[in-house]
Amino acid sequence: KRMRRGKFRVYMEQHPLAGTYYWYFNLIATNGKVIATSEMYQTKRACLKGINSVRNNAPDATLEIME
């Protein structure tokens, strides 16, 4: 049986006031729900670098609860 995995979904949208375009990504869980949304990037390349950063830095991330 194949294990389901989360996925990154990349979007390009136009800013409603400035008229400029920006890129961002969502991290989608195996149940189809969005579990993270990135910052806005000026280029697709920068957005893809953001995804690679999450992939490289998150596997062993610790949990900090700031109350």
Side-chain angles (χ1 to χ4, degrees), residues 12-27:
M12 182 183 69
E13 291 192 8
Q14 187 173 19
H15 188 282
L17 301 176
T20 57
Y21 288 89
Y22 58 88
W23 296 83
Y24 69 97
F25 65 86
N26 285 338
L27 177 55

Side-chain angles (χ1 to χ4, degrees), residues 1 7 9 23 31 33 60:
K1 188 175 181 180
K7 61 185 168 186
R9 190 172 288 155
W23 296 83
N31 65 0
K33 304 254 183 191
D60 298 320

